[in-house]
Amino acid sequence: MTDQDWMAQVRALVGKEYGRVYAWDKVNAPMIRQWCEIMGVAVKQNAAGQAIAPPAMLQVWCMEGPVANNYPPGSTTENPYEVLKLLEGQGFGSVVAVNSELTFDRDVVEGEDLYYTTRLDSVGEQKTTALGTGHFVTLVMDYYSIGAKNGRDEHVGQLLFRVFKFRPAQQPKPAAAPAEAPQKARRPMPGVSDDNRFFWEGAREGKLLIQRCKGCGELHHPPGPVCPSCHSFEWDTVQASGRGTVYSFVVMHYPEVPPFDHPNPIGLIELEEGSRLIAQLVGIKPQDVQIGQKVQVEFNAFNDGELVLPQFRPVA
């Protein structure tokens, strides 16, 4: 297929609209509560006592779940990403500069049934960057609530999805360097800002410091510039006891990334003070970790002492 032929095929798809993709479940209070809990925000209700879904959840309701392309009965069987497959077939298989933009017409509340349709908005002209040559592809997903407006479907929001599909540039092969002794893998360093510097400095001193709002007194972690409860910008810190329980956990088996040991148990720790944080569990076999298990913080140094991390060990 010539360049003109396949690009003409790509251009012919611009403007194409794909059928409905339905949500597996109605907008529901349990999912709203869990989302708000993870994000550290309060659940809001309307005048009728219905839970209001945070706007950023809009895309979540119609996702397929952990099994790819597993959509509810009645959903379209068309592939709205077929243009990406065409580009990949011509060698534009790499991805960079993915961005999503959500806009909202109104809040959605528990009990609503949602679906979305997809339109291929544009395929940009060929663009060459230092990474390679490719095309920007823009898709627009429109979200609707079934029968919400006098029995008719109501438009409630839109997601613009843009991705740069490119063919990597040929990089000159560097001259072979003399063999060197392998470097010992280092732990990745955290991103330190004015909002969280106190936490890492405290760890170096053997202190587990938690951010506290001066306005309402609420503790929250990870640190941020504003209180998620009362939106105050005034805060200080409190030193936690370091005692807590395993609220939840995962065990990382793959991919195996040096210098971490695998399987690698990671816990969501609920501190005595009420806040939670994520940390590595040490001094226990992964199969022995249990929810509700009592743990105690310990501070361990890595990267030749450059990094100090709070980790948690089960209480004997």
Side-chain angles (χ1 to χ4, degrees):
M1 184 181 294
T2 66
D3 287 350
Q4 291 83 359
D5 289 339
W6 76 262
M7 182 50 72
Q9 189 175 354
V10 167
R11 297 293 182 200
L13 292 174
V14 175
K16 180 176 179 179
E17 296 192 4
Y18 299 83
R20 300 181 179 186
V21 173
Y22 291 98
W24 274 106
D25 303 290
K26 293 178 183 289
V27 177
N28 60 86
M31 288 302 297
I32 294 172
R33 177 184 56 77
Q34 291 177 37
W35 173 282
C36 291
E37 183 177 348
I38 293 297
M39 295 299 176
V41 297
V43 178
K44 296 182 179 180
Q45 295 182 331
N46 61 12
Q50 296 168 301
I52 299 173
M57 284 190 75
L58 183 61
Q59 183 185 9
V60 175
W61 298 112
C62 296
M63 285 183 170
E64 68 267 44
V67 179
N69 301 318
N70 180 31
Y71 293 105
S75 297
T76 182
T77 57
E78 299 176 296
N79 180 8
Y81 303 104
E82 61 179 323
V83 69
L84 302 184
K85 295 297 182 183
L86 289 174
L87 289 169
E88 289 167 3
Q90 299 301 317
F92 299 95
S94 297
V95 174
V96 73
V98 176
N99 73 288
S100 296
E101 299 175 13
L102 276 168
T103 57
F104 315 102
D105 295 349
R106 66 165 176 82
D107 292 325
V108 296
V109 299
E110 61 176 307
E112 294 194 74
D113 262 323
L114 303 183
Y115 69 86
Y116 72 87
T117 60
T118 304
R119 171 172 51 84
L120 176 58
D121 185 70
S122 65
V123 177
E125 296 297 330
Q126 184 168 289
K127 180 179 178 65
T128 300
T129 71
L131 293 174
T133 300
H135 300 266
F136 279 100
V137 178
T138 304
L139 294 142
V140 174
M141 289 79 164
D142 286 291
Y143 287 78
Y144 296 86
S145 178
I146 300 175
K149 195 169 186 178
N150 299 322
R152 295 178 296 174
D153 298 350
E154 181 183 3
H155 189 272
V156 294
Q158 187 179 84
L159 168 66
L160 182 146
F161 173 78
R162 182 177 291 115
V163 60
F164 185 55
K165 297 286 287 185
F166 69 99
R167 182 186 294 138
Q170 295 295 324
Q171 301 292 336
K173 293 184 178 180
E180 297 180 358
Q183 295 288 326
K184 183 180 179 181
R186 292 166 59 88
R187 293 220 176 196
M189 297 296 291
V192 179
S193 68
D194 289 340
D195 296 323
N196 66 12
R197 184 172 287 104
F198 74 88
F199 180 82
W200 299 109
E201 290 178 349
R204 294 184 67 86
E205 297 174 5
K207 300 176 183 178
L208 185 61
L209 300 179
I210 304 298
Q211 193 175 44
R212 177 174 59 186
C213 174
K214 286 186 175 181
C216 65
E218 183 169 313
L219 303 179
H220 46 87
H221 187 88
V226 61
C227 175
S229 297
C230 71
H231 308 296
S232 170
F233 284 88
E234 300 296 324
W235 56 268
D236 59 10
T237 63
V238 61
Q239 183 174 350
S241 67
R243 295 184 294 271
T245 57
V246 177
Y247 184 83
S248 184
F249 71 93
V250 296
V251 178
M252 299 296 296
H253 293 269
Y254 184 84
E256 294 187 359
V257 180
F260 300 98
D261 295 326
H262 293 80
N264 183 17
I266 306 295
L268 176 60
I269 309 301
E270 185 166 63
L271 300 173
E272 284 185 338
E273 292 75 14
S275 57
R276 299 174 189 156
L277 77 163
I278 296 172
Q280 189 174 20
L281 297 171
V282 295
I284 186 171
K285 296 179 180 178
Q287 63 268 27
D288 293 336
V289 181
Q290 296 181 12
I291 290 176
Q293 197 166 33
K294 294 186 180 299
V295 291
Q296 173 70 49
V297 74
E298 63 179 47
F299 296 91
N300 294 309
F302 301 92
N303 300 353
D304 300 322
E306 186 179 355
L307 173 65
V308 177
L309 293 175
Q311 299 178 316
F312 284 81
R313 180 181 297 271
V315 176

